[in-house]
Amino acid sequence: MKRLSLMALAALFVLGFAACNGGGSFKRTKSGLMYKIISDQKNPLPKNGQFLKFEYVQKVRDSILFSSAENGPAYVVIDSAATPDYNPNEIFAFLRKGDSAVVIIEADTIRKKNGGQLPAFLKSKDKVYLTIKVIDLFATQDLADADRKATMEVYMKKAEQEAEKQKLKDLETLNAYVKSKNITVQSAPQGTLVEITNPGTGAQVDSGKYVSVMYTGQTMAGKVFDSSIDPKFQHPGQPYTFMIGGRGAIKGWDDGLRLFKKGGKGRLYIPSAYAYGKQGAGEDIKPNENLIFDVEVVEVSDTMPKSAQQMPGGH
């Protein structure tokens, strides 16, 4: 379990502001971090090496950045000697089971402590509000790990159920779209819609095979957001290479490309649940946005081609 870094916390905090209505004024840690703890002081303070389990909400302006309702609770090891580095780790030793806390992280202070740099989602004068509710305390890492595993299994199952519901909704939209355009499509094994203009004549795309693909990706509105062909994007003329089944690409690619052989060309109509989901990606791909990819399978092989261009993050 890693300690939460300043930039990570500044990019992944959580909070409802209701706790601010609790009694008492805000205090400051040695590094200047503002915080307030709401406690009945009935439970003992945690000891070094124990683990707190807490729910959280991170908010800046009117936007919730992250919350345990979506991502599951967080776990942190108690370290009373935590470095005063403008980080919520400074206050965890003061929190008892059942306590709530509000932490205020000031953007201008983050800028000063990080060489004048701010995360993209923050502006000067912004304040990030982190609300914490401690729901359990574990004496050892093994106990905390076991609880985290059980908890995450529940959240993952919930996420899978939500993704399946979203996929069905997405496919209804995509099927209506291709029908309105008189486009003939096939369904890939997991449901991605595929328009095949040339199935190819070489080796079949399948699990464990390395595929190299030339592509252009666009939104349903026709906004091109990436391409291996257009010179205004990175790596023009270089196909994207990944292993089928190896999670090197979005699920819609892994699914839809299985209908092609080497040399195949076509178009993938990808439900958002098989693309970037409710998170979206960058400015062009909104949450729960279905995507269209024009693809050409230029290589199918058993091993990674020596000349392959792999780009971080997958497609």
Side-chain angles (χ1 to χ4, degrees), residues 29-96:
T29 64
K30 291 181 180 179
S31 70
L33 188 72
M34 294 178 64
Y35 74 97
K36 178 166 66 173
I37 296 173
I38 299 91
S39 175
D40 60 14
Q41 299 187 346
K42 291 181 179 180
N43 290 312
L45 287 169
K47 299 177 182 178
N48 279 348
Q50 293 185 327
F51 287 80
L52 288 180
K53 174 183 180 181
F54 60 94
E55 295 174 341
Y56 59 89
V57 179
Q58 179 189 13
K59 188 174 183 180
V60 62
R61 298 185 294 278
D62 294 326
S63 300
I64 292 178
L65 301 175
F66 292 91
S67 78
S68 53
E70 294 289 336
N71 304 299
Y75 298 74
V76 66
V77 64
I78 298 301
D79 180 5
S80 60
T83 303
D85 56 359
Y86 204 66
N87 188 308
N89 280 310
E90 293 180 75
I91 75 161
F92 287 126
F94 309 147
L95 296 178
R96 310 164 195 261

Side-chain angles (χ1 to χ4, degrees), residues 176-235:
Y177 175 83
V178 298
K179 183 178 180 179
S180 71
K181 302 289 185 180
N182 292 317
I183 299 169
T184 299
V185 296
Q186 299 180 38
S187 290
Q190 297 189 57
T192 302
L193 302 184
V194 184
E195 178 185 2
I196 299 176
T197 54
N198 178 2
T201 57
Q204 178 71 48
V205 176
D206 204 354
S207 296
K209 297 287 187 179
Y210 288 88
V211 295
S212 297
V213 184
M214 298 295 287
Y215 66 92
T216 295
Q218 62 180 298
T219 65
M220 296 292 289
K223 172 68 175 179
V224 175
F225 55 82
D226 196 10
S227 176
S228 64
I229 300 169
D230 192 327
K232 71 180 180 183
F233 294 98
Q234 280 189 310
H235 312 293

Side-chain angles (χ1 to χ4, degrees), residues 18 74 91 97 103 126 136 139 147 152 160 173 193 234 270:
I91 75 161
K97 182 177 178 179
V103 179
D126 272 346
D136 215 336
D147 184 83
M152 291 313 298
E160 289 172 358
T173 300
L193 302 184
Q234 280 189 310
I270 300 178

